[in-house]
Amino acid sequence: MGAQQVADRFAELYGARPEGVWAAPGRVNLIGEHTDYNDGFVMPFALPHQAVAAVSRRTDGLLRLHSADIGGGITELRLDDLAPGGDHDWTAYPAGVVWALREAGHEITGADVHLASTVPTGAGLSSSAALEVVIALALDDLYGLGLKGWRLARLCQRAENVYVGAPTGIMDQTASACCEAGHALFLDTRDLSQRQIPFDLAAAGLRLLVVDTQVKHAHSGGEYGKRRAGCEKGAALLGVDALRDIPYDGLDAALARLGGEEEVVPLVRHVVTENERVERTVALLRAGDPRAIGPALTEGHASLRDDFRISCPELDLVVDTALAGGALGARMTGGGFGGSAIVLTEAADVDTLTKSVEEAFAAAGFTAPRVFEAVPSAGARRLV
């Protein structure tokens, strides 16, 4: 999606050139699922797919929004009327960012916005975070707010948690705002410390495929909230601030203390083991051994499927088919209940594995998946 194309459409809609054009990417989470709201470790990287926004300031207290991807005209909202729960469509994400900025004391007097995105929606690739971050970055630049990096991500998370009503953690927004090309982001979600880990699979003769199952999911749905509430209950029963505080070598003792809490035990087990898988993956990549991360990916899928219970037949079929075809590792990525899986493979096997997955979906009567290579890309930035 070219910046010039988005700027030209803005001019057609609003009768003047935009003050700038910004972009924010979607993300793939390599490892570390449902650990972010447990103060744990995650390891996402940015995709080349991105949300692009042309934006100009207003001084009359109006927010005008238009999307190239959704039918309809310009939506006009009054800033003073913005309140959580008031919007129930895509406009809740940019409106929520503006609301969160104003709630934080920043003087935003209005904006005209035209958006276009190549991040697949409902695919577990953080299309909503890309939308939030691109708006926040544009307004940060235009209004001189100084909210770069994790500060900008935290504000976007508040917009999604409070305004939209989706109980997501901080990972998606931080990845969109902070990732660097050619790297995965090792993020400690407790203190938001970051390390950029080199992640050049092509140099090692490897590829990471994303398989979008076309099964849509929604983070604001009740099942995601139930998992989060169960994790919080587990932490409370164990007397810790968050499940991050349960050490891997103390997991068995912690689970024994939970006794008959049948719903909580598997959630705790997943979070603690997933944190260990993230740390193991970081160590292997820093040691220059990307092929060796495959088992951690596959273990992560089994944990998400069996302990967290958020997989689905389509995701399981991707993983099982890829592994049977010789993939080094595979797992679902994102919030679950649909979305995408990732497959780590030798470069020479990409076409064969892609064909195998497509044939397996056809044989099962599933909608044909979308398969593409995930290339670690740049985070949010100003284009024009």
Side-chain angles (χ1 to χ4, degrees):
M1 183 62 62
Q4 190 63 49
Q5 180 182 355
V6 176
D8 289 346
R9 181 58 175 144
F10 179 100
E12 294 174 4
L13 290 163
Y14 297 114
R17 304 296 296 179
E19 292 186 78
V21 181
W22 292 260
R27 65 96 188 98
V28 163
N29 192 24
L30 180 64
I31 192 76
E33 220 66 78
H34 288 268
T35 51
D36 57 345
Y37 54 79
N38 289 292
D39 284 0
F41 305 122
V42 296
M43 199 175 184
F45 63 90
L47 289 168
H49 307 72
Q50 58 190 6
V52 180
V55 184
S56 288
R57 288 168 289 183
R58 298 182 64 89
T59 60
D60 58 359
L62 291 180
L63 174 63
R64 297 198 295 178
L65 302 168
H66 185 269
S67 170
D69 310 305
I70 298 171
I74 296 170
T75 298
E76 185 173 294
L77 303 170
R78 294 199 59 82
L79 300 190
D80 289 343
D81 294 337
L82 298 180
D87 305 289
H88 301 286
D89 58 14
W90 71 271
T91 63
Y93 297 99
V97 169
V98 175
W99 170 83
L101 284 168
R102 284 162 55 88
E103 283 286 299
H106 299 292
E107 187 175 349
I108 306 297
T109 57
D112 286 337
V113 178
H114 171 60
L115 288 152
S117 179
T118 58
V119 186
T121 59
L125 304 176
S126 297
S127 59
S128 60
L131 184 54
E132 293 157 359
V133 169
V134 75
I135 295 299
L137 182 63
L139 296 177
D140 173 73
D141 279 357
L142 292 175
Y143 285 95
L145 306 179
L147 292 172
K148 298 295 189 287
W150 69 264
R151 291 179 177 83
L152 184 143
R154 181 68 84 190
L155 181 139
C156 291
Q157 182 199 14
R158 176 168 168 76
E160 184 147 352
N161 289 171
V162 180
Y163 195 92
V164 178
T168 56
I170 190 66
M171 174 183 64
D172 295 350
Q173 293 84 2
T174 304
S176 187
C178 300
C179 280
E180 295 180 3
H183 293 76
L185 179 70
F186 177 38
L187 173 66
D188 182 335
T189 64
R190 169 162 284 171
D191 61 13
L192 299 185
S193 60
Q194 304 174 19
R195 275 191 284 167
Q196 300 287 345
I197 308 297
F199 192 53
D200 186 358
L201 293 178
L206 301 175
R207 297 291 187 272
L208 190 75
L209 301 179
V210 175
V211 182
D212 177 3
T213 65
Q214 306 285 350
V215 178
K216 302 301 181 184
H217 71 171
H219 272 171
S220 53
E223 290 300 316
Y224 186 101
K226 289 178 183 177
R227 301 306 187 280
R228 181 164 185 165
C231 291
E232 292 169 351
K233 180 179 179 181
L237 290 170
L238 292 168
V240 294
D241 292 335
L243 295 182
R244 148 73 174 276
D245 297 312
I246 304 300
Y248 181 67
D249 59 7
L251 175 59
D252 289 343
L255 297 182
R257 288 170 57 198
L258 289 172
E261 295 288 343
E262 295 181 359
E263 290 298 313
V264 174
V265 165
L267 303 182
V268 173
R269 182 166 52 230
H270 166 74
V271 172
V272 175
T273 58
E274 186 80 345
N275 279 326
E276 186 275 334
R277 284 186 284 272
V278 176
E279 293 184 291
R280 193 192 330 160
T281 299
V282 170
L284 290 168
L285 289 177
R286 295 188 73 186
D289 195 6
R291 279 179 176 78
I293 73 173
L297 303 184
T298 304
E299 292 167 23
H301 182 77
S303 182
L304 290 163
R305 180 193 64 210
D306 300 335
D307 277 347
F308 232 67
R309 304 183 303 282
I310 58 171
S311 189
C312 66
E314 291 85 351
L315 288 169
D316 293 340
L317 184 59
V318 174
V319 172
D320 293 344
T321 303
L323 294 174
L328 300 173
R331 74 172 191 92
M332 59 156 285
T333 186
F337 311 105
S340 298
I342 57 175
V343 178
L344 180 67
T345 177
E346 302 288 350
D349 295 335
V350 166
D351 291 343
T352 301
L353 284 176
T354 299
K355 183 179 179 182
S356 295
V357 170
E358 291 172 344
E359 290 177 346
F361 268 56
F366 295 152
T367 301
R370 178 186 180 208
V371 184
F372 59 91
E373 183 182 346
V375 179
S377 302
R381 62 212 181 277
R382 186 169 185 160
L383 300 179
V384 177

